[in-house]
Amino acid sequence: QVQFVESGGGLVQPGGSLRLSCAASGSIFSFRAMGWYRQAPGKQRELVANVAIGGSANYADSVKGRFTISRDNAKNTMYLQMNSLKPEDTAVYYCNTLPRIVDWGQGTQVTVSS
């Protein structure tokens, strides 16, 4: 059974940076588009960035120019570099396929606060 494990979250001041990682078990990773999703308190989960098998990426308007998604198919790992973080980026961040076909993992908490 495929599982995703997210890591790299934490508490950071506004304007700071974090790099999230997503480690995938199983072979599905290399054959699927992948995405980073987030869910803020009281809000629905949203897709913030996605990357195709070949590496082309798309971003939500709210993170465009600040976040960079990338993947290493050989390592079954995906990354999200987050720069110029804002308090509204505070959320639990998840990775999954796009469209989602795997159960959600535990996610990693990102808190942007002074």
XYZ file of all heavy atoms in Angstrom:
862
model
N 0.840 -1.188 0.000
C 0.000 0.000 0.000
C 0.876 1.239 0.000
O 1.819 1.354 0.768
C -0.900 0.009 1.228
C -1.886 1.152 1.242
C -2.853 1.061 2.419
O -2.842 0.073 3.154
N -3.665 2.065 2.590
N 0.546 2.174 -0.877
C 1.344 3.393 -0.997
C 1.050 4.319 0.171
O -0.104 4.494 0.576
C 1.040 4.119 -2.321
C 1.799 5.432 -2.398
C 1.383 3.225 -3.498
N 2.104 4.903 0.713
C 1.961 5.896 1.770
C 2.876 7.069 1.472
O 3.935 6.914 0.844
C 2.335 5.311 3.127
C 1.352 4.288 3.661
C 1.744 3.790 5.033
O 2.904 3.528 5.297
N 0.756 3.671 5.906
N 2.446 8.250 1.922
C 3.258 9.450 1.814
C 3.577 9.956 3.218
O 2.695 9.984 4.071
C 2.532 10.544 1.028
C 2.231 10.169 -0.396
C 0.923 10.065 -0.845
C 3.260 9.921 -1.289
C 0.646 9.712 -2.154
C 2.996 9.568 -2.600
C 1.680 9.448 -3.036
N 4.812 10.362 3.433
C 5.232 10.907 4.720
C 5.794 12.303 4.480
O 6.803 12.462 3.778
C 6.280 10.013 5.397
C 6.726 10.642 6.705
C 5.711 8.622 5.631
N 5.125 13.278 5.077
C 5.545 14.667 4.933
C 6.427 15.087 6.110
O 6.208 14.635 7.236
C 4.311 15.588 4.878
C 3.329 15.263 3.777
C 2.234 14.280 4.178
O 2.360 13.665 5.264
O 1.259 14.124 3.422
N 7.388 15.955 5.849
C 8.263 16.454 6.907
C 8.782 17.837 6.534
O 8.638 18.275 5.392
C 9.436 15.496 7.135
O 10.220 15.388 5.967
N 9.382 18.501 7.510
C 10.033 19.780 7.260
C 9.285 20.994 7.749
O 9.773 22.120 7.627
N 8.101 20.796 8.292
C 7.335 21.930 8.793
C 7.924 22.487 10.081
O 8.892 21.950 10.628
N 7.340 23.573 10.551
C 7.803 24.178 11.790
C 7.240 25.570 11.969
O 6.356 26.003 11.225
N 7.789 26.262 12.952
C 7.405 27.638 13.246
C 8.434 28.572 12.627
O 9.639 28.408 12.842
C 7.339 27.852 14.750
C 7.113 29.291 15.241
C 5.758 29.807 14.764
C 7.225 29.356 16.756
N 7.966 29.534 11.861
C 8.863 30.466 11.193
C 8.251 31.860 11.225
O 7.023 32.001 11.235
C 9.140 30.004 9.734
C 7.859 29.996 8.925
C 10.225 30.830 9.083
N 9.100 32.861 11.265
C 8.616 34.239 11.257
C 8.192 34.656 9.856
O 8.688 34.096 8.856
C 9.714 35.176 11.764
C 10.034 35.007 13.234
C 11.015 36.050 13.727
O 11.708 36.698 12.945
N 11.075 36.227 15.039
N 7.298 35.614 9.765
C 6.932 36.131 8.435
C 8.174 36.555 7.666
O 9.084 37.166 8.225
C 6.041 37.327 8.771
C 5.436 36.977 10.093
C 6.507 36.244 10.834
N 8.192 36.199 6.388
C 9.346 36.471 5.549
C 10.368 35.365 5.528
O 11.305 35.393 4.713
N 10.196 34.384 6.390
C 11.136 33.281 6.464
C 10.895 32.218 5.415
O 10.012 32.351 4.554
N 11.675 31.148 5.508
C 11.614 30.062 4.522
C 11.572 28.706 5.215
O 12.074 28.545 6.328
C 12.850 30.103 3.610
O 12.913 31.304 2.883
N 10.969 27.766 4.521
C 10.969 26.364 4.933
C 11.028 25.508 3.687
O 10.568 25.919 2.606
C 9.702 26.009 5.725
C 9.584 26.472 7.170
C 8.188 26.158 7.700
C 10.638 25.825 8.043
N 11.558 24.306 3.846
C 11.557 23.332 2.757
C 10.872 22.068 3.247
O 11.360 21.411 4.179
C 12.974 23.008 2.303
C 13.025 22.174 1.032
C 14.411 21.642 0.769
N 14.563 21.112 -0.580
C 15.438 20.173 -0.913
N 16.243 19.664 0.003
N 15.523 19.755 -2.165
N 9.761 21.742 2.611
C 9.030 20.532 2.946
C 9.483 19.387 2.062
O 9.844 19.588 0.902
C 7.528 20.756 2.771
C 6.908 21.939 3.509
C 5.397 21.942 3.303
C 7.261 21.933 4.973
N 9.421 18.182 2.628
C 9.743 16.979 1.870
C 8.586 15.998 1.948
O 7.872 15.946 2.947
C 11.006 16.319 2.418
O 12.129 17.151 2.280
N 8.442 15.223 0.901
C 7.409 14.184 0.837
C 8.084 12.909 0.355
O 8.565 12.847 -0.780
C 6.315 14.612 -0.130
S 5.166 13.292 -0.590
N 8.095 11.918 1.207
C 8.687 10.635 0.861
C 7.575 9.644 0.564
O 6.627 9.516 1.341
C 9.558 10.130 1.999
N 7.696 8.961 -0.557
C 6.670 8.018 -0.982
C 7.183 6.593 -0.898
O 8.317 6.309 -1.295
C 6.243 8.327 -2.408
N 6.355 5.724 -0.381
C 6.661 4.301 -0.409
C 5.965 3.707 -1.615
O 4.924 4.186 -2.034
C 6.174 3.619 0.866
O 4.756 3.701 0.960
N 6.499 2.694 -2.179
C 5.874 2.094 -3.342
C 6.302 2.756 -4.635
O 6.959 3.786 -4.632
N 5.884 2.195 -5.727
C 6.365 2.644 -7.034
C 5.431 3.618 -7.720
O 5.710 4.067 -8.815
C 6.570 1.435 -7.943
O 5.331 0.743 -8.106
N 4.333 3.980 -7.071
C 3.350 4.829 -7.729
C 3.903 6.210 -8.046
O 3.503 6.853 -9.004
C 2.079 4.956 -6.855
C 0.936 5.610 -7.638
C 2.372 5.767 -5.597
C -0.367 5.629 -6.892
N 4.854 6.657 -7.240
C 5.329 8.033 -7.336
C 5.799 8.382 -8.740
O 5.492 9.441 -9.271
C 6.468 8.234 -6.331
C 6.983 9.642 -6.277
C 6.415 10.570 -5.430
C 8.047 10.040 -7.071
C 6.891 11.869 -5.373
C 8.531 11.332 -7.022
C 7.953 12.251 -6.173
N 6.546 7.481 -9.356
C 7.151 7.788 -10.651
C 6.142 7.844 -11.786
O 6.484 8.304 -12.885
C 8.222 6.750 -10.982
O 9.248 6.762 -10.024
N 4.926 7.395 -11.541
C 3.951 7.292 -12.617
C 2.768 8.240 -12.454
O 1.768 8.110 -13.152
C 3.440 5.853 -12.698
C 4.537 4.857 -12.904
C 5.025 4.112 -11.845
C 5.107 4.675 -14.149
C 6.049 3.198 -12.021
C 6.126 3.761 -14.338
C 6.596 3.017 -13.271
N 2.886 9.167 -11.492
C 1.761 10.049 -11.228
C 2.202 11.500 -11.099
O 3.296 11.784 -10.599
C 1.076 9.649 -9.906
C 0.393 8.294 -9.952
C -0.943 8.387 -10.628
N -1.596 7.087 -10.732
C -2.824 6.913 -11.178
N -3.534 7.953 -11.564
N -3.342 5.721 -11.239
N 1.321 12.397 -11.554
C 1.500 13.791 -11.169
C 1.285 13.885 -9.665
O 0.508 13.118 -9.083
C 0.501 14.679 -11.906
N 1.984 14.809 -9.037
C 1.940 14.948 -7.587
C 1.586 16.378 -7.202
O 1.834 17.326 -7.961
C 3.294 14.591 -6.983
C 3.688 13.140 -7.129
S 2.686 12.044 -6.104
C 3.086 12.648 -4.456
N 1.056 16.522 -6.015
C 0.698 17.860 -5.560
C 0.953 18.056 -4.079
O 0.982 17.097 -3.306
N 1.178 19.310 -3.729
C 1.179 19.727 -2.330
C -0.157 20.410 -2.057
O -0.581 21.296 -2.802
C 2.322 20.699 -2.047
C 3.650 20.043 -1.855
C 4.659 19.953 -2.772
C 4.114 19.389 -0.676
N 5.719 19.276 -2.229
C 5.418 18.913 -0.938
C 3.566 19.154 0.592
C 6.181 18.227 0.005
C 4.319 18.466 1.521
C 5.606 18.022 1.227
N -0.783 19.981 -0.987
C -2.055 20.508 -0.557
C -1.869 21.116 0.839
O -0.941 20.745 1.551
C -3.107 19.408 -0.472
C -3.321 18.602 -1.736
C -2.410 17.637 -2.135
C -4.466 18.783 -2.510
C -2.607 16.875 -3.276
C -4.689 18.024 -3.651
C -3.757 17.068 -4.028
O -3.967 16.325 -5.159
N -2.792 21.977 1.236
C -2.737 22.487 2.597
C -4.146 22.703 3.121
O -5.079 22.937 2.352
C -1.935 23.781 2.693
C -2.579 24.991 2.037
C -1.636 26.194 2.095
N -2.222 27.372 1.482
C -1.550 28.508 1.267
N -0.257 28.604 1.627
N -2.150 29.547 0.707
N -4.251 22.614 4.438
C -5.534 22.861 5.087
C -5.306 23.744 6.305
O -4.620 23.346 7.253
C -6.222 21.556 5.491
C -7.629 21.769 6.018
C -8.409 20.483 6.131
O -7.849 19.393 6.193
N -9.738 20.596 6.139
N -5.861 24.936 6.238
C -5.783 25.870 7.352
C -6.965 25.627 8.282
O -7.991 25.088 7.865
C -5.800 27.299 6.833
N -6.846 26.024 9.540
C -7.949 25.824 10.489
C -9.246 26.438 9.979
O -9.280 27.600 9.571
C -7.453 26.538 11.744
C -5.972 26.508 11.640
C -5.671 26.630 10.184
N -10.301 25.631 9.994
C -11.607 26.121 9.580
C -11.799 26.269 8.097
O -12.836 26.779 7.648
N -10.831 25.830 7.314
C -10.927 25.959 5.855
C -10.814 24.602 5.184
O -10.323 23.640 5.768
C -9.842 26.898 5.336
C -9.981 28.338 5.804
C -8.976 29.239 5.110
C -9.160 30.688 5.522
N -8.198 31.582 4.823
N -11.245 24.555 3.938
C -11.131 23.325 3.164
C -9.698 23.123 2.694
O -8.934 24.079 2.522
C -12.064 23.382 1.955
C -13.540 23.266 2.300
C -14.410 23.110 1.066
O -14.054 23.568 -0.010
N -15.542 22.447 1.216
N -9.352 21.880 2.483
C -8.029 21.567 1.941
C -7.954 22.106 0.513
O -8.904 21.996 -0.257
C -7.807 20.063 1.957
C -6.370 19.666 1.825
C -6.084 18.209 2.143
N -7.103 17.498 2.867
C -6.836 16.666 3.868
N -5.585 16.491 4.273
N -7.815 15.997 4.448
N -6.802 22.687 0.180
C -6.631 23.259 -1.152
C -5.305 22.801 -1.748
O -4.340 22.522 -1.050
C -6.656 24.796 -1.073
C -5.542 25.408 -0.246
C -5.492 26.927 -0.327
O -6.110 27.517 -1.221
O -4.794 27.527 0.517
N -5.288 22.761 -3.064
C -4.066 22.431 -3.797
C -3.249 23.713 -3.966
O -3.775 24.711 -4.470
C -4.422 21.848 -5.164
C -3.270 21.509 -6.093
C -2.457 20.334 -5.554
C -3.792 21.183 -7.492
N -1.993 23.685 -3.563
C -1.173 24.882 -3.696
C -0.151 24.784 -4.813
O 0.258 25.805 -5.370
C -0.465 25.249 -2.377
C -1.460 25.598 -1.296
C 0.447 24.140 -1.892
N 0.264 23.562 -5.148
C 1.232 23.399 -6.219
C 1.180 21.965 -6.716
O 0.883 21.052 -5.944
C 2.643 23.717 -5.739
N 1.431 21.775 -7.990
C 1.495 20.426 -8.536
C 2.617 20.321 -9.550
O 3.006 21.315 -10.169
C 0.160 20.004 -9.135
C -0.293 20.875 -10.274
O -0.851 21.936 -10.068
N -0.050 20.434 -11.493
N 3.134 19.113 -9.693
C 4.247 18.874 -10.604
C 3.979 17.605 -11.396
O 3.587 16.574 -10.857
C 5.585 18.787 -9.825
C 5.573 17.673 -8.792
C 6.760 18.640 -10.779
N 4.163 17.703 -12.702
C 3.968 16.564 -13.585
C 5.148 15.599 -13.477
O 6.174 15.919 -12.871
C 3.816 17.055 -15.019
N 4.987 14.425 -14.068
C 6.051 13.428 -14.025
C 7.348 14.007 -14.581
O 8.439 13.776 -14.039
C 5.628 12.179 -14.813
C 4.410 11.522 -14.155
C 6.784 11.181 -14.904
C 3.779 10.423 -14.986
N 7.242 14.794 -15.618
C 8.422 15.368 -16.254
C 8.970 16.596 -15.579
O 10.037 17.091 -15.954
N 8.231 17.123 -14.590
C 8.748 18.244 -13.813
C 8.066 19.580 -14.027
O 8.352 20.535 -13.297
N 7.176 19.689 -14.998
C 6.493 20.970 -15.184
C 5.555 21.214 -14.008
O 4.937 20.289 -13.500
C 5.734 20.989 -16.498
O 4.764 19.963 -16.536
N 5.458 22.470 -13.594
C 4.760 22.798 -12.356
C 3.699 23.868 -12.555
O 3.785 24.683 -13.475
C 5.768 23.269 -11.312
N 2.720 23.836 -11.663
C 1.691 24.866 -11.607
C 1.485 25.261 -10.155
O 1.681 24.446 -9.248
C 0.372 24.362 -12.195
C 0.457 24.129 -13.681
O 0.479 25.063 -14.470
N 0.517 22.875 -14.066
N 1.074 26.520 -9.957
C 0.928 27.044 -8.614
C -0.386 27.790 -8.449
O -0.888 28.416 -9.385
C 2.080 28.015 -8.304
C 3.438 27.378 -8.387
C 4.162 27.393 -9.580
C 3.993 26.743 -7.279
C 5.406 26.792 -9.669
C 5.239 26.149 -7.357
C 5.932 26.171 -8.554
O 7.173 25.569 -8.627
N -0.913 27.735 -7.236
C -2.040 28.585 -6.889
C -1.569 30.033 -6.902
O -0.403 30.324 -6.604
C -2.573 28.218 -5.513
N -2.464 30.929 -7.232
C -2.095 32.345 -7.307
C -1.537 32.846 -5.979
O -0.655 33.712 -5.957
C -3.314 33.180 -7.708
C -3.692 32.996 -9.160
O -2.849 32.484 -9.942
O -4.820 33.344 -9.525
N -2.035 32.298 -4.889
C -1.630 32.783 -3.569
C -0.174 32.481 -3.238
O 0.399 33.113 -2.343
C -2.536 32.180 -2.492
O -2.470 30.768 -2.527
N 0.440 31.528 -3.932
C 1.827 31.147 -3.621
C 2.764 31.361 -4.790
O 3.979 31.173 -4.657
C 1.920 29.681 -3.149
C 0.957 29.435 -1.993
C 1.665 28.711 -4.293
N 2.223 31.761 -5.920
C 3.039 31.924 -7.118
C 4.152 32.944 -6.881
O 3.905 34.022 -6.327
C 2.144 32.362 -8.286
C 2.725 32.135 -9.660
C 1.670 32.402 -10.741
C 0.539 31.405 -10.666
N -0.458 31.602 -11.751
N 5.358 32.580 -7.271
C 6.499 33.466 -7.079
C 7.187 33.308 -5.736
O 8.283 33.849 -5.527
N 6.557 32.576 -4.817
C 7.148 32.371 -3.482
C 7.485 30.907 -3.223
O 8.444 30.605 -2.510
C 6.172 32.857 -2.401
C 5.813 34.326 -2.514
C 4.988 34.798 -1.316
N 3.706 34.114 -1.217
C 3.323 33.388 -0.167
N 4.129 33.238 0.881
N 2.118 32.819 -0.158
N 6.682 29.994 -3.762
C 6.874 28.557 -3.546
C 7.424 27.921 -4.811
O 7.078 28.337 -5.923
C 5.551 27.885 -3.199
C 4.987 28.219 -1.841
C 5.510 29.238 -1.063
C 3.919 27.486 -1.341
C 4.979 29.542 0.177
C 3.377 27.765 -0.103
C 3.905 28.796 0.653
N 8.247 26.891 -4.627
C 8.772 26.116 -5.747
C 8.629 24.641 -5.445
O 9.131 24.156 -4.421
C 10.248 26.441 -6.011
O 10.395 27.843 -6.260
C 10.756 25.666 -7.221
N 7.941 23.937 -6.324
C 7.745 22.497 -6.173
C 8.745 21.765 -7.065
O 9.062 22.237 -8.171
C 6.288 22.107 -6.529
C 6.006 20.658 -6.157
C 5.998 22.365 -8.007
C 4.523 20.277 -6.304
N 9.248 20.646 -6.580
C 10.172 19.840 -7.385
C 10.040 18.389 -6.968
O 9.471 18.085 -5.916
C 11.615 20.327 -7.216
O 12.030 20.219 -5.862
N 10.557 17.502 -7.801
C 10.473 16.074 -7.498
C 11.738 15.384 -7.947
O 12.384 15.800 -8.910
C 9.245 15.446 -8.160
C 9.261 15.476 -9.682
C 7.913 15.052 -10.266
N 7.609 13.661 -9.969
C 6.391 13.131 -10.116
N 5.379 13.869 -10.536
N 6.192 11.861 -9.833
N 12.070 14.306 -7.250
C 13.198 13.447 -7.611
C 12.629 12.043 -7.747
O 12.448 11.339 -6.751
C 14.277 13.514 -6.532
C 15.526 12.745 -6.911
O 15.432 11.798 -7.731
O 16.603 13.065 -6.391
N 12.322 11.653 -8.975
C 11.674 10.359 -9.187
C 12.553 9.189 -8.769
O 12.054 8.158 -8.321
C 11.276 10.218 -10.659
C 10.176 11.181 -11.057
O 9.389 11.617 -10.219
N 10.124 11.529 -12.331
N 13.843 9.342 -8.886
C 14.754 8.256 -8.497
C 14.712 7.998 -6.994
O 14.953 6.873 -6.543
C 16.177 8.593 -8.927
N 14.396 9.053 -6.229
C 14.347 8.925 -4.774
C 12.923 8.845 -4.240
O 12.717 8.812 -3.022
C 15.059 10.119 -4.128
C 16.549 10.184 -4.408
C 17.182 11.362 -3.681
C 18.678 11.423 -3.935
N 19.313 12.581 -3.231
N 11.938 8.836 -5.155
C 10.529 8.826 -4.724
C 10.250 9.937 -3.718
O 9.574 9.732 -2.696
C 10.152 7.472 -4.111
C 9.920 6.400 -5.161
O 9.964 6.679 -6.365
N 9.706 5.187 -4.719
N 10.770 11.116 -4.003
C 10.656 12.237 -3.075
C 10.239 13.501 -3.815
O 10.653 13.734 -4.957
C 11.990 12.478 -2.350
O 12.390 11.280 -1.694
C 11.843 13.573 -1.301
N 9.430 14.297 -3.145
C 8.986 15.575 -3.682
C 9.274 16.651 -2.646
O 9.317 16.370 -1.440
C 7.485 15.522 -3.988
C 6.915 16.794 -4.559
S 5.188 16.604 -5.060
C 4.375 16.349 -3.486
N 9.484 17.863 -3.123
C 9.851 18.956 -2.228
C 8.961 20.178 -2.478
O 8.393 20.351 -3.560
C 11.309 19.367 -2.454
C 12.287 18.226 -2.336
C 12.726 17.566 -3.481
C 12.740 17.791 -1.096
C 13.617 16.498 -3.386
C 13.630 16.733 -0.992
C 14.052 16.098 -2.138
O 14.929 15.042 -2.034
N 8.870 21.013 -1.467
C 8.224 22.307 -1.628
C 9.088 23.342 -0.909
O 9.156 23.350 0.327
C 6.808 22.316 -1.053
C 6.016 23.596 -1.315
C 5.714 23.741 -2.813
C 4.714 23.620 -0.511
N 9.767 24.166 -1.683
C 10.542 25.265 -1.121
C 9.624 26.451 -0.956
O 9.028 26.931 -1.923
C 11.702 25.624 -2.045
C 12.544 26.800 -1.559
C 13.285 26.495 -0.282
O 13.865 25.415 -0.129
N 13.289 27.434 0.656
N 9.502 26.923 0.265
C 8.587 28.017 0.570
C 9.389 29.214 1.066
O 10.051 29.135 2.106
C 7.575 27.578 1.632
C 6.806 26.322 1.258
S 5.481 25.937 2.412
C 6.423 25.630 3.893
N 9.332 30.295 0.322
C 10.032 31.523 0.677
C 9.032 32.640 0.936
O 7.858 32.537 0.561
C 10.986 31.931 -0.437
C 12.060 30.899 -0.716
O 12.514 30.196 0.188
N 12.479 30.804 -1.961
N 9.496 33.692 1.563
C 8.660 34.868 1.845
C 7.334 34.454 2.474
O 6.259 34.894 2.058
C 8.416 35.655 0.548
O 9.621 36.068 -0.034
N 7.431 33.616 3.469
C 6.218 33.075 4.087
C 5.400 34.157 4.760
O 5.946 35.126 5.322
C 6.589 31.978 5.077
C 6.943 30.635 4.424
C 7.717 29.740 5.373
C 5.678 29.938 3.941
N 4.088 33.967 4.703
C 3.136 34.907 5.282
C 2.283 34.197 6.333
O 2.126 32.971 6.273
C 2.211 35.444 4.186
C 2.922 36.100 3.012
C 1.918 36.496 1.945
C 2.616 37.154 0.763
N 1.645 37.551 -0.300
N 1.713 34.930 7.270
C 0.850 34.278 8.268
C -0.277 33.464 7.638
O -0.662 32.416 8.178
C 0.305 35.470 9.063
C 1.374 36.506 8.970
C 1.929 36.349 7.577
N -0.771 33.898 6.487
C -1.855 33.157 5.832
C -1.390 31.851 5.206
O -2.213 31.068 4.715
C -2.548 34.028 4.772
C -1.610 34.688 3.789
C -1.270 36.129 4.171
O -1.021 36.391 5.374
O -1.261 36.984 3.258
N -0.093 31.582 5.224
C 0.408 30.279 4.781
C 0.333 29.235 5.898
O 0.615 28.052 5.654
C 1.865 30.396 4.320
C 2.023 31.257 3.079
O 1.194 31.128 2.158
O 2.989 32.059 3.029
N -0.036 29.648 7.086
C -0.157 28.720 8.203
C -1.207 27.664 7.898
O -2.361 27.982 7.581
C -0.539 29.482 9.482
O 0.535 30.362 9.833
C -0.816 28.520 10.629
N -0.801 26.403 7.983
C -1.685 25.289 7.636
C -0.939 23.984 7.875
O 0.275 23.974 8.107
C -2.112 25.377 6.170
N -1.680 22.897 7.783
C -1.058 21.577 7.698
C -0.883 21.272 6.216
O -1.844 21.392 5.441
C -1.906 20.494 8.380
C -1.215 19.137 8.242
C -2.132 20.832 9.839
N 0.320 20.914 5.835
C 0.650 20.652 4.434
C 0.733 19.151 4.201
O 1.347 18.419 4.985
C 1.968 21.322 4.075
C 1.837 22.819 3.892
C 1.617 23.646 4.986
C 1.898 23.398 2.628
C 1.468 25.022 4.828
C 1.759 24.764 2.460
C 1.541 25.567 3.560
O 1.392 26.922 3.396
N 0.112 18.725 3.101
C 0.055 17.321 2.726
C 0.556 17.148 1.300
O 0.409 18.046 0.466
C -1.381 16.809 2.765
C -2.101 16.959 4.085
C -2.767 18.134 4.394
C -2.134 15.913 5.004
C -3.447 18.281 5.593
C -2.821 16.045 6.204
C -3.473 17.230 6.489
O -4.152 17.366 7.683
N 1.068 15.967 1.009
C 1.367 15.629 -0.379
C 0.489 14.449 -0.784
O 0.057 13.655 0.052
C 2.844 15.299 -0.561
S 3.433 13.882 0.387
N 0.219 14.379 -2.056
C -0.575 13.276 -2.580
C -0.488 13.310 -4.095
O 0.066 14.236 -4.702
C -2.030 13.383 -2.121
C -2.674 12.031 -1.916
O -2.617 11.166 -2.776
N -3.272 11.839 -0.751
N -1.051 12.287 -4.704
C -1.117 12.272 -6.156
C -2.129 13.321 -6.617
O -2.905 13.865 -5.847
C -1.542 10.894 -6.659
O -2.794 10.554 -6.043
C -0.513 9.828 -6.316
N -2.097 13.563 -7.920
C -3.050 14.496 -8.511
C -3.641 13.853 -9.762
O -2.901 13.631 -10.723
C -2.366 15.816 -8.876
C -3.263 16.881 -9.524
C -4.209 17.437 -8.482
C -2.442 17.985 -10.151
N -4.914 13.497 -9.762
C -5.839 13.626 -8.640
C -5.497 12.645 -7.516
O -4.726 11.716 -7.726
C -7.194 13.285 -9.271
C -6.853 12.386 -10.412
C -5.564 12.928 -10.953
N -6.047 12.938 -6.348
C -5.714 12.131 -5.184
C -6.301 10.730 -5.287
O -7.494 10.557 -5.513
C -6.241 12.787 -3.904
C -5.866 12.027 -2.638
C -6.479 12.660 -1.415
N -7.919 12.479 -1.368
C -8.525 11.391 -0.909
N -7.819 10.358 -0.491
N -9.836 11.330 -0.868
N -5.449 9.713 -5.109
C -5.923 8.334 -5.111
C -5.377 7.564 -3.919
O -5.616 6.371 -3.795
C -5.550 7.589 -6.415
C -4.032 7.552 -6.606
C -6.235 8.219 -7.619
C -3.602 6.636 -7.736
N -4.640 8.244 -3.048
C -4.029 7.605 -1.880
C -4.601 8.271 -0.629
O -4.891 9.466 -0.635
C -2.499 7.757 -1.926
C -1.850 7.154 -0.688
C -1.945 7.101 -3.190
N -4.741 7.502 0.432
C -5.203 8.083 1.688
C -4.261 9.198 2.142
O -3.044 9.137 1.921
C -5.280 7.012 2.783
C -6.411 6.023 2.531
O -7.329 6.347 1.751
O -6.364 4.927 3.127
N -4.823 10.187 2.797
C -3.996 11.283 3.303
C -3.049 10.793 4.387
O -3.403 9.952 5.205
C -4.865 12.397 3.887
C -5.717 13.112 2.897
C -7.067 13.026 2.752
C -5.264 14.005 1.868
N -7.486 13.825 1.719
C -6.400 14.438 1.156
C -4.015 14.491 1.478
C -6.333 15.336 0.080
C -3.941 15.378 0.412
C -5.076 15.787 -0.274
N -1.831 11.349 4.392
C -0.896 11.097 5.469
C -1.187 12.032 6.629
O -2.232 12.688 6.673
N -0.242 12.112 7.557
C -0.439 12.964 8.729
C -0.159 14.430 8.435
O -0.596 15.305 9.187
C 0.450 12.496 9.876
C 0.040 11.142 10.438
C 0.762 10.814 11.723
O 1.880 11.263 11.953
N 0.129 10.018 12.571
N 0.556 14.711 7.392
C 0.878 16.090 7.052
C 1.970 16.644 7.941
O 2.451 16.003 8.879
N 2.372 17.865 7.634
C 3.362 18.559 8.445
C 2.871 19.980 8.695
O 2.429 20.661 7.769
C 4.747 18.537 7.756
O 5.725 19.113 8.635
C 4.759 19.261 6.426
N 2.929 20.396 9.953
C 2.390 21.693 10.348
C 3.368 22.812 10.006
O 4.548 22.746 10.374
C 2.096 21.713 11.849
C 1.644 23.060 12.386
C 0.241 23.432 11.941
O -0.678 22.624 12.041
N 0.084 24.667 11.461
N 2.863 23.822 9.344
C 3.630 25.043 9.080
C 2.916 26.189 9.780
O 1.729 26.426 9.539
C 3.737 25.320 7.568
C 4.358 26.702 7.324
C 4.546 24.232 6.893
N 3.640 26.868 10.647
C 3.084 28.004 11.367
C 3.957 29.226 11.102
O 5.161 29.197 11.361
C 3.012 27.739 12.878
O 2.229 26.567 13.113
C 2.379 28.922 13.600
N 3.340 30.259 10.562
C 4.055 31.503 10.260
C 3.536 32.569 11.218
O 2.394 33.009 11.120
C 3.855 31.935 8.805
C 4.712 33.169 8.499
C 4.181 30.791 7.857
N 4.398 32.962 12.133
C 3.978 33.893 13.173
C 5.181 34.590 13.776
O 6.265 34.009 13.867
C 3.208 33.149 14.269
O 2.888 34.018 15.345
N 4.985 35.824 14.183
C 6.048 36.559 14.852
C 5.915 36.409 16.365
O 6.724 36.956 17.119
C 6.012 38.028 14.452
O 4.733 38.592 14.709
